[in-house]
Amino acid sequence: MPMPQAGDKAPGFSLPDQSGATVSLSQFKGRHVVLYFYPKDATPGCTTEACDFRDEHSALVKAGAVVLGVSPDSVASHQKFATKQGLPFSLLADPDHALADAYGVWGEKSLYGRKFMGLIRATFLIGPDSKVVRVWPKVKVAGHVAEVLATLQGGSSSDAAPPPKKALAKAPAAKKASAAEAKPATVKKPAAKKAPAAKGAVRKGARA
């Protein structure tokens, strides 16, 4: 089936979690649900993703969301994985990948040139009205949980301000003001000329 998009009605479900309790989408009506699909318990990427959701769980809950993980693993596998990693949220067992099919995340994958059917890592943010708010297809684990949290808090990591660019080169220093601009020029008065000696004047020391 095609992957639901923003504005679509989210496919409902009722699946057992790691404790064996049945979890249904309908029980979270009025709240946001972060429904994330991951390929397999205890693998490196899936462990990192689960631990990122664990570390931000209180912030996600504060933002009004319920976190639910889904994979084709069994209830027993989920229980072991959740216990080992101290996961505070439900992991739903979808061994026949019926829910993965409903959300369009079960499909052909490729690894080392080998093609096979499997679960595609993806996350769906479902709104209080049970409609899809946002989809993250083909999730890259690094930074994903932070982006989900930012979306719940009213923004997204893509809306965040870009990292600061390198400081611009300093503008060339302003040229020193010319002497005329720095202070008014002082006009020098011409030196007074000595009055010429009177004709016929007796030189000092000259005889009468």
Side-chain angles (χ1 to χ4, degrees):
M1 291 184 68
M3 190 177 291
Q5 298 301 309
D8 293 344
K9 184 76 173 177
F13 55 82
S14 289
L15 292 174
D17 69 3
Q18 66 266 37
S19 67
T22 299
V23 176
S24 302
L25 178 60
S26 59
Q27 74 190 71
F28 303 113
K29 194 168 184 178
R31 299 180 67 183
H32 281 90
V33 174
V34 176
L35 185 68
Y36 83 94
F37 291 84
Y38 65 98
K40 189 172 179 58
D41 288 338
T43 52
C46 296
T47 299
T48 297
E49 185 177 22
C51 290
D52 285 349
F53 273 114
R54 175 199 65 196
D55 295 345
E56 294 292 352
H57 188 252
S58 59
L60 290 160
V61 171
K62 187 176 180 180
V66 174
V67 177
L68 302 175
V70 185
S71 84
D73 297 295
S74 66
V75 168
S77 175
H78 279 342
Q79 185 177 47
K80 183 177 179 181
F81 182 45
T83 299
K84 182 176 181 179
Q85 302 301 334
L87 306 181
F89 50 84
S90 292
L91 299 178
L92 310 185
D94 185 32
D96 60 359
H97 54 83
L99 186 57
D101 277 328
Y103 277 82
V105 296
W106 185 264
E108 187 176 80
K109 301 177 70 174
S110 179
L111 182 64
Y112 303 120
R114 182 175 66 90
K115 292 185 177 181
F116 59 97
M117 296 299 288
L119 191 145
I120 299 164
R121 195 186 304 276
T123 298
F124 298 82
L125 176 59
I126 302 169
D129 57 358
S130 298
K131 288 185 178 180
V132 176
V133 174
R134 184 167 175 182
V135 181
W136 287 267
K138 297 182 180 179
V139 164
K140 300 295 183 185
V141 172
H144 175 56
V145 174
E147 186 170 6
V148 173
L149 180 58
T151 300
L152 280 162
Q153 292 173 335
S156 72
S157 61
S158 59
D159 295 331
K165 294 181 179 179
K166 290 183 179 180
L168 296 174
K170 291 183 179 179
K175 292 181 179 180
K176 290 184 179 180
S178 64
E181 293 173 327
K183 57 181 181 179
T186 303
V187 180
K188 293 183 178 180
K189 294 181 179 180
K193 292 182 180 180
K194 291 183 179 180
K199 289 183 180 181
V202 180
R203 291 183 181 175
K204 191 175 182 179
R207 293 182 181 178

